[in-house]
Amino acid sequence: MSLAVVDDHKNVVHTATAFHHGEITSCLSTLLSHGAVDHVTYVAVTDATPGFVFSHGRFDDQVVIIRAAKALYNNAFDAILHVGGEKFSLSLFDENGNYIGARHNTSCAAGTGSFLDQQARRLNLEGSCQISENALKNTRSRPDIATRCAVFAKTDLIHAQQEGYTIEQICDGLCYGLAKNIVNTLFTGRTFLKKIIFCGGVAKNRSVTQYLESILGLDLTIDHYSLGYGALGAALCFWDQLQEKKMIPKIFASPRDFFTTTSHKTNYLYPALSLTLSNYPDFACYTQFVTDGVEIEIYTDPAQVDLSTTFLGLDVGSTSTKSILINQDGIPVVGCYTKTASRPVQAVQKICKAMDAFITRENLCVTVKGCGTTGSGRRISGRVIGADLEPDEITAHATAAVNLNKDVDTIIEIGGQDAKFTLVKDGRVTASVMNTVCAAGTGSFIEEQAQKLSCPLSEYSDRAEGIKAPVSSDRCTVFMERDINYYFAEGYEKNDILASVLHSVRDNYLTKVATVGRIGNCILFQGATARNRALVAAFEQKLQKPIHVSQFCHLTGALGVALLARDQQIGQTQFRGFDLWKQKIPVHQEVCQLCTNHCKLTIAHVDGQPRAYGFLCGRDYDT
């Protein structure tokens, strides 16, 4: 938050800026305790200011920035680049100083100050200022960090640390990526600019500034007031208004007088989450256990089923790797689930080891007649394991859905870092949409919020059910963090916020991925996130329709592949066997430079052919 005190002659008497971390009232009270505020009789605020702050006038956030710039520089500038906590923009002016338009960032916070602040906390730094300081110290190469999404950036930070990059190199990579993202978003087409005023919190980040100047090929103008253009502009806008009409001043005896009385607006609370229309499985199975990080579920007594002809399906995704073994009758026998951890080859080998141990322990005679892989890692895992088919995720999930419920017409699938919406008619896919650019409405998003709120995933659903939740951002993990801080300051409990996160995930999915008007009446919810009963309740509450969840919801991609392998009647399988875990498979890392995602690729060499994993865009290694 920023504060500016201006006298009767438009002279700036005092300015102050502070991070409020959600504690808006206490932080603002501290700023208002300064002696320069004692003689204030009028208050003006920006539209972004909470309603419980008293004001004589409210002004548009962009208008106040322009007003401040004109006061400081008259009309001697071509553009104003503003990069704040949650937004960035480029306001453009003609040679006479007339406003001619603006460009803004999207509803994603990548490229903003809050994005840097979040990464600073992940790196155990006090704030984004330390990111700048560390970046300026770097004299070596910098890693490519995905600055298009806060969730993907987290993955890249972990990779960079594992690869031995220093904190200075990582911070340098963050600052460069942020500057590149700003330029790619705002400075498009033929934009000939000479003097650009740079303001907002990020203007104080010297590393980002240097990279912006280097990419743009010009010097940016930064002044003493760059952090507080909003506050200064609001005061000046009100001063202009005051010259036209008289307004009644107010005496502020203490900082408390700058606030209005507020209470929770219960009409903005979502109803309590509970399943009323849907039947939900209890996920009970014959037996289950965990070995070497692999969750193993045995669905039926293996001694009582014919295993002379079985089919194996694998789903290698961005966050988890799943497998399921079915027999000739399509009966699931055993399922495995483990974290991919950016190491798809090792994840597949871990599952093979777990299956090998299970078969040996039960003294079973298992013959695999067909094997297939799906997911973002289907190519690399298919080559490693000897897959007979490698169908895409849409086909695999739809095959499983139709097998589980022949009447299915809509599939909601939310994975670790992507989400899919599929329409089915008469057992065939008629349309499908996939969201991979933003991870805000995915399993990783839920997992990250749970971690921040110290809630184990196993307890999440129980703690969120039956809770009325405040409305929070459904757009970005950075904005969600802002709302969490705000609601804590307002006195909400952790469980209220946990429930709010689920509403945000649902709304993000229904806004960005699904077409609500095309959702049918037989809806299957698939993916590991469907094991969160409260999330299923959130979809039911919004759609007012039953949501069907299978016992195998977390394994449906693998189940679909196994069913396809069975139906194809493969003559001679290429499956290499479950003892694959004993083999040494050479693997190395690469970074894709085709776009600003800078995907971290894992390359495995099998039979002399390279196979890659890690593309966020869906490319294969040879394309």
Side-chain angles (χ1 to χ4, degrees):
M1 62 173 65
S2 294
L3 173 151
V5 180
V6 177
D7 66 15
D8 290 344
H9 304 290
K10 295 193 292 185
N11 298 312
V12 182
V13 176
H14 172 67
T15 60
T17 303
F19 286 95
H20 56 72
H21 301 296
E23 301 290 342
I24 295 173
T25 303
S26 60
C27 183
L28 184 54
S29 296
T30 301
L31 295 186
L32 292 168
S33 299
H34 192 278
V37 184
D38 292 347
H39 304 292
V40 165
T41 51
Y42 296 102
V43 176
V45 300
T46 62
D47 281 340
T49 306
F52 55 76
V53 178
F54 173 83
S55 68
H56 288 90
R58 230 168 229 282
F59 299 93
D60 177 82
D61 295 283
Q62 187 180 1
V63 169
V64 296
I65 291 170
I66 294 172
R67 180 67 181 87
K70 285 184 175 291
L72 294 170
Y73 297 95
N74 200 358
N75 289 321
F77 54 86
D78 301 303
I80 303 170
L81 173 61
H82 178 262
V83 185
E86 296 174 0
K87 301 174 184 177
F88 58 84
S89 64
L90 182 70
S91 300
L92 301 168
F93 304 84
D94 64 18
E95 61 275 7
N96 298 316
N98 298 311
Y99 173 76
I100 56 176
R103 299 165 185 169
H104 302 267
N105 67 319
T106 63
S107 55
C108 175
T112 65
S114 292
F115 176 87
L116 275 185
D117 291 336
Q118 189 179 82
Q119 309 318 313
R121 284 189 291 277
R122 286 172 175 161
L123 294 169
N124 295 317
L125 301 175
E126 290 183 6
S128 55
C129 58
Q130 281 200 312
I131 287 183
S132 176
E133 292 170 6
N134 280 308
L136 291 169
K137 295 176 184 175
N138 183 42
T139 56
R140 300 159 65 186
S141 63
R142 57 176 183 266
D144 292 310
I145 306 294
T147 52
R148 299 294 296 175
C149 177
V151 175
F152 298 149
K154 175 185 177 182
T155 305
D156 284 356
L157 294 184
I158 294 170
H159 286 171
Q161 289 170 327
Q162 290 174 341
E163 291 166 13
Y165 283 101
T166 65
I167 191 70
E168 290 82 8
Q169 289 174 290
I170 293 172
C171 289
D172 197 17
L174 273 170
C175 291
Y176 175 76
L178 194 85
K180 194 89 178 288
N181 189 42
I182 292 170
V183 172
N184 289 342
T185 303
L186 300 180
F187 294 86
T188 56
R190 293 169 63 84
T191 304
F192 300 102
L193 302 172
K194 295 180 180 179
K195 184 170 183 178
I196 302 176
I197 298 171
F198 187 18
C199 60
V202 178
K204 292 298 184 182
N205 186 311
R206 287 195 296 129
S207 178
V208 171
T209 300
Q210 287 180 7
Y211 278 127
L212 284 171
E213 291 178 333
S214 173
I215 297 170
L216 294 172
L218 52 80
D219 293 331
L220 299 173
T221 301
I222 304 172
D223 57 61
H224 175 69
Y225 301 109
S226 59
L227 289 178
Y229 267 46
L232 176 59
L236 294 172
C237 282
F238 185 78
W239 189 94
D240 297 337
Q241 205 174 77
L242 202 57
Q243 307 313 301
E244 300 174 5
K245 58 180 180 180
K246 292 292 182 182
M247 298 187 71
I248 301 172
K250 180 178 177 179
I251 302 300
F252 299 93
S254 72
R256 286 194 302 272
D257 295 337
F258 286 89
F259 299 92
T260 59
T261 55
T262 59
S263 59
H264 287 325
K265 296 181 179 179
T266 53
N267 57 312
Y268 289 140
L269 295 179
Y270 285 116
L273 290 172
S274 63
L275 280 177
T276 57
L277 303 174
S278 310
N279 292 320
Y280 195 74
D282 59 9
F283 295 101
C285 53
Y286 179 72
T287 184
Q288 55 187 347
F289 54 93
V290 178
T291 177
D292 193 25
V294 180
E295 299 175 23
I296 301 175
E297 296 177 332
I298 302 171
Y299 301 110
T300 185
D301 184 352
Q304 302 300 314
V305 291
D306 181 11
L307 300 179
S308 60
T309 301
T310 63
F311 302 90
L312 179 68
L314 278 91
D315 181 359
V316 183
S318 54
T319 58
S320 60
T321 296
K322 293 79 63 177
S323 76
I324 197 164
L325 186 74
I326 66 173
N327 70 358
Q328 180 63 49
D329 299 322
I331 298 173
V333 179
V334 57
C336 297
Y337 185 99
T338 191
K339 295 289 186 183
T340 305
S342 302
R343 298 182 176 184
V345 175
Q346 290 90 330
V348 169
Q349 288 185 304
K350 282 174 67 174
I351 281 184
C352 285
K353 184 177 182 180
M355 291 288 288
D356 197 23
F358 160 71
I359 292 168
T360 302
R361 191 184 72 178
E362 299 291 331
N363 194 27
L364 302 174
C365 182
V366 176
T367 304
V368 176
K369 293 289 190 179
C371 167
T373 58
T374 191
S376 57
R378 68 183 185 275
R379 302 295 186 201
I380 187 171
S381 58
R383 176 70 62 161
V384 167
I385 205 165
D388 301 303
L389 65 161
E390 298 171 358
D392 60 81
E393 297 163 79
I394 306 300
T395 302
H397 277 278
T399 301
V402 172
N403 178 267
L404 294 167
N405 190 323
K406 62 181 179 57
D407 298 322
V408 61
D409 53 30
T410 308
I411 303 171
I412 294 172
E413 201 264 304
I414 300 179
Q417 289 188 356
D418 61 35
K420 293 176 280 292
F421 173 67
T422 305
L423 297 176
V424 179
K425 184 177 182 180
D426 299 328
R428 294 180 179 274
V429 173
T430 59
S432 187
V433 177
M434 186 173 184
N435 172 41
T436 58
V437 178
C438 174
T442 64
S444 295
F445 178 76
I446 296 174
E447 192 171 342
E448 183 152 314
Q449 307 314 317
Q451 191 174 22
K452 286 175 189 168
L453 297 169
S454 303
C455 173
L457 286 176
S458 59
E459 299 176 9
Y460 199 124
S461 182
D462 290 339
R463 289 176 59 174
E465 280 194 81
I467 300 293
K468 292 183 177 181
V471 178
S472 54
S473 172
D474 65 341
R475 293 297 183 183
C476 179
T477 180
V478 174
F479 297 155
M480 187 68 207
E481 184 174 88
R482 169 207 64 189
D483 289 350
I484 287 174
N485 290 334
Y486 174 75
Y487 288 131
F488 272 136
E490 288 286 285
Y492 286 95
E493 301 295 330
K494 280 187 178 181
N495 289 354
D496 302 332
I497 299 170
L498 286 169
S500 179
V501 169
L502 300 183
H503 287 284
S504 293
V505 169
R506 175 206 61 203
D507 291 342
N508 181 283
Y509 179 88
L510 294 178
T511 302
K512 286 187 174 181
V513 187
T515 305
V516 175
R518 300 181 70 186
I519 292 177
N521 295 313
C522 187
I523 306 167
L524 265 64
F525 190 168
Q526 301 185 162
T529 50
R531 299 185 82 171
N532 187 320
R533 180 187 171 102
L535 179 59
V536 179
F539 275 94
E540 181 195 278
Q541 184 184 101
K542 187 83 168 186
L543 299 175
Q544 286 298 295
K545 295 178 180 180
I547 310 294
H548 302 281
V549 177
S550 161
Q551 178 185 6
F552 313 108
C553 62
H554 55 306
L555 305 174
T556 40
L559 176 59
V561 176
L563 290 167
L564 287 168
R566 182 196 64 170
D567 295 342
Q568 283 197 11
Q569 298 182 346
I570 298 162
Q572 182 66 41
T573 182
Q574 300 180 61
F575 179 56
R576 294 170 177 270
F578 290 118
D579 59 354
L580 177 72
W581 64 272
K582 300 175 183 178
Q583 299 180 25
K584 190 175 179 71
I585 300 172
V587 173
H588 73 276
Q589 308 292 322
E590 287 183 16
V591 177
C592 178
Q593 301 292 344
L594 292 178
C595 76
T596 54
N597 281 333
H598 296 305
C599 296
K600 308 301 179 291
L601 307 181
T602 298
I603 318 296
H605 289 269
V606 184
D607 297 335
Q609 295 294 320
R611 289 292 172 180
Y613 163 86
F615 287 107
L616 296 176
C617 60
R619 283 187 176 92
D620 290 326
Y621 193 61
D622 54 356
T623 57

